[in-house]
């Protein structure tokens, strides 16, 4: 009697037994989706560059790069991640550009298609808070507002914290519960899961240190100025007392 053959999985995601409601395969391939995503980023950078140079032509290169970063973050957090938070119940069947991009990324983390509580809460908080605040931070840097470093610290810390939790929960499930959400191909784990997310650890960490240093120097200069003023005031008062 022949052995029954195993039915092929209904989707390409891991674990293969994951339940993905209403799953439909993407109509666009990986190259097409990545090209459209890159074109979108290039358009965001081009428009932002033109606006910043018009508002403040003297913007330094470092400030310009930081502005470009926060505007890109704002667009990704508010629109792309906000799209996920709004459509999380039906992600498996979404066939518009954002839906197919999420399904492509989900090859490295299927939790985005299984209504996972953690990724939903994380992405909702990111979209609601770090999205709008990223735009505010970019605007403050553009006009060189005194609050630019305060907002840069808050947003960067929020991004860093969320990304660390994202990695930590996935690693916990992998090493403790023996659950893997990424396909075995290196491109998905190292390319999508590790490399793409590492930007929100490396860059926010650098910006945190940069703003902390700027804040330190500002308060140090203020403290020195205060001591000088107090010293001069003390000298004036001492001279006045001697005259009396």
């Amino acid at each position: 009697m022949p052995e029954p053959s195993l039915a092929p999985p209904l989707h390409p995601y891991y674990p293969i037994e994951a339940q993905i409601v209403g799953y439909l395969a993407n109509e666009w391939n990986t190259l097409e989706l990545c090209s459209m995503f890159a074109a979108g980023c290039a358009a965001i950078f081009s428009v932002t560059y033109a606006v910043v140079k018009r508002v403040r032509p003297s913007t330094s290169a470092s400030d310009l790069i930081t502005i470009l970063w926060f505007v890109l973050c704002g667009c990704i957090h508010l629109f792309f991640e906000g799209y996920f938070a709004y459509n999380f119940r039906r992600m498996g069947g979404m066939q518009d550009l954002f839906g197919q991009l999420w399904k492509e990324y989900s090859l490295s983390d299927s939790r985005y298609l299984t209504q996972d509580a953690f990724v939903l809460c994380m992405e909702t908080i990111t979209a609601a808070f770090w999205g709008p605040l990223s735009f505010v931070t970019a605007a403050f840097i553009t006009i060189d507002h005194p609050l630019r470093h305060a907002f840069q610290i808050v947003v960067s810390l929020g991004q860093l914290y969320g990304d660390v939790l994202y990695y930590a929960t996935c690693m916990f499930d992998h090493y403790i519960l023996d659950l893997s959400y990424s396909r075995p191909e290196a491109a998905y784990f190292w390319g999508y899961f590790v490399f793409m997310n590492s930007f929100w650890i490396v860059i926010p960490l650098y910006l945190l240190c940069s703003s902390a240093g700027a804040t330190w120097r500002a308060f140090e200069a203020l403290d020195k100025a205060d001591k000088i003023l107090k010293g001069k005031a003390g000298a004036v008062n001492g001279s006045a007392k001697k005259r009396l």
Side-chain angles (χ1 to χ4, degrees):
M1 184 175 180
E3 295 183 3
S5 58
L6 295 176
L10 300 177
H11 56 72
Y13 302 96
Y14 272 54
I16 57 175
E17 66 273 12
Q19 298 296 314
I20 300 176
V21 178
Y23 171 71
L24 293 174
N26 276 348
E27 296 173 350
W28 292 316
N29 61 41
T30 299
L31 180 59
E32 290 171 332
L33 289 169
C34 290
S35 298
M36 285 185 276
F37 181 77
C41 293
I44 292 169
F45 286 152
S46 299
V47 172
T48 303
Y49 179 87
V51 170
V52 172
K53 283 300 183 180
R54 184 177 182 83
V55 173
R56 186 159 69 98
S58 61
T59 303
S60 66
S62 61
D63 277 356
L64 180 58
I65 293 172
T66 306
I67 294 166
L68 293 174
W69 163 253
F70 277 113
V71 172
L72 178 63
C73 286
C75 291
I76 291 176
H77 294 335
L78 185 59
F79 302 115
F80 188 54
E81 293 173 276
Y83 170 97
F84 168 80
Y86 183 76
N87 295 291
F88 78 99
R89 291 185 183 276
R90 51 184 183 272
M91 285 302 301
M94 302 301 288
Q95 290 293 68
D96 53 20
L97 176 58
F98 280 5
Q100 292 193 52
L101 281 170
W102 273 117
K103 285 191 286 184
E104 175 67 22
Y105 174 76
S106 295
L107 292 167
S108 72
D109 189 351
S110 65
R111 292 180 296 176
Y112 283 92
L113 301 183
T114 58
Q115 302 176 25
D116 180 83
F118 170 75
V119 295
L120 171 62
C121 294
M122 180 196 68
E123 297 294 0
T124 301
I125 292 171
T126 300
F129 292 97
W130 310 138
L133 287 178
S134 290
F135 288 124
V136 173
T137 305
F140 278 172
I141 297 173
T142 300
I143 62 176
D144 200 21
H145 193 279
L147 284 174
R148 54 173 290 182
H149 286 292
F151 273 74
Q152 183 167 300
I153 287 173
V154 170
V155 176
S156 296
L157 183 60
Q159 292 173 329
L160 180 63
Y161 182 71
D163 212 21
V164 168
L165 281 180
Y166 175 68
Y167 277 134
T169 54
C170 195
M171 293 299 101
F172 177 89
D173 286 350
H174 178 73
Y175 290 109
I176 304 300
L177 303 180
D178 199 26
L179 282 174
S180 178
Y181 302 111
S182 176
R183 287 189 58 83
E185 294 88 346
Y188 297 123
F189 180 78
W190 293 107
Y192 289 177
F193 182 75
V194 175
F195 178 72
M196 294 300 293
N197 287 289
S198 65
F199 287 104
W200 279 272
I201 286 184
V202 175
I203 297 177
L205 189 59
Y206 169 78
L207 292 175
L208 269 172
C209 294
S210 175
S211 287
T215 304
W216 182 328
R217 290 190 296 273
F219 275 100
E220 188 177 44
L222 183 62
D223 186 54
K224 288 180 179 179
D226 187 54
K227 288 178 179 178
I228 291 173
L229 289 174
K230 286 181 178 179
K232 289 182 177 179
V236 170
N237 290 335
S239 299
K241 287 180 180 179
K242 287 181 179 179
R243 294 193 192 99
L244 293 174

